């Protein structure tokens, strides 16, 4: 079965950086889109960034564009999210997600999910 395990969250000050990791296992991800989705308390899940497994094409929400970078290491089956210039509104649980085919900005279209890692940004 597919397993996605996030790590790297923590408590930081506004303006700081964090790097999240997602360890993926259970299948070959060729043809898949890998994504990061976040959820603030009491709010619905929000698309953050996505990357195609083979070509490495990247996509970002407007709220993080220019501050966050998604990448992957195919040999290690790992996806990363480098988060710079963090703001309090970036606070939430960050989930790694995957789906077959092209990327979307709609979280319910993703088929596989990790358990999430907490990111808290204070000011």
């Amino acid at each position: 079965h597919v397993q996605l395990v996030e790590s790297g969250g923590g408590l930081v000050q506004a303006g700081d950086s964090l790097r999240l990791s997602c360890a993926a296992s259970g299948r070959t991800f060729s043809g898949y889109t890998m994504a990061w989705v976040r959820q603030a308390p009491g709010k619905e899940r929000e698309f953050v960034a996505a990357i195609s497994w083979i070509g490495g094409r990247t996509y970002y929400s407007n709220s993080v564009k220019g501050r966050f970078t998604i990448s992957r290491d195919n040999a290690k089956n790992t996806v990363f999210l480098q988060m710079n210039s963090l703001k309090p509104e970036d606070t939430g649980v960050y989930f790694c997600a995957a789906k077959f085919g092209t990327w979307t900005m709609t979280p319910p279209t993703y088929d596989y999910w990790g358990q999430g890692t907490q990111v808290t940004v204070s000011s």
Side-chain angles (χ1 to χ4, degrees), residues 5-71:
V5 181
E6 304 93 336
S7 62
L11 173 62
V12 298
Q13 297 285 329
D16 285 353
S17 297
L18 279 175
R19 185 182 185 236
L20 307 183
S21 297
C22 170
S25 62
R27 69 164 301 124
T28 298
F29 290 94
S30 299
Y32 277 72
T33 295
M34 312 299 291
W36 289 96
V37 176
R38 67 188 181 188
Q39 186 170 31
K43 295 186 177 293
E44 64 184 9
R45 294 187 179 187
E46 174 192 20
F47 173 84
V48 175
I51 187 168
S52 60
W53 189 258
I54 297 299
R57 304 178 80 173
T58 58
Y59 310 91
Y60 299 93
S61 68
N62 289 333
S63 63
V64 308
K65 199 172 301 180
R67 298 188 297 122
F68 291 9
T69 302
I70 188 170
S71 61

Side-chain angles (χ1 to χ4, degrees), residues 7-10 12 16-22 36 69 71-73 76 78-84 86 117 119:
S7 62
V12 298
D16 285 353
S17 297
L18 279 175
R19 185 182 185 236
L20 307 183
S21 297
C22 170
W36 289 96
T69 302
S71 61
R72 87 281 195 236
D73 185 337
K76 297 181 179 179
T78 304
V79 183
F80 305 98
L81 184 68
Q82 178 66 46
M83 305 185 293
N84 298 328
L86 282 162
T117 185
V119 173

Side-chain angles (χ1 to χ4, degrees), residues 99-121:
K99 68 183 294 292
F100 180 77
T102 193
W103 77 286
T104 74
M105 296 185 71
T106 309
T109 64
Y110 287 82
D111 301 306
Y112 306 105
W113 295 83
Q115 294 301 304
T117 185
Q118 177 71 43
V119 173
T120 303
V121 185

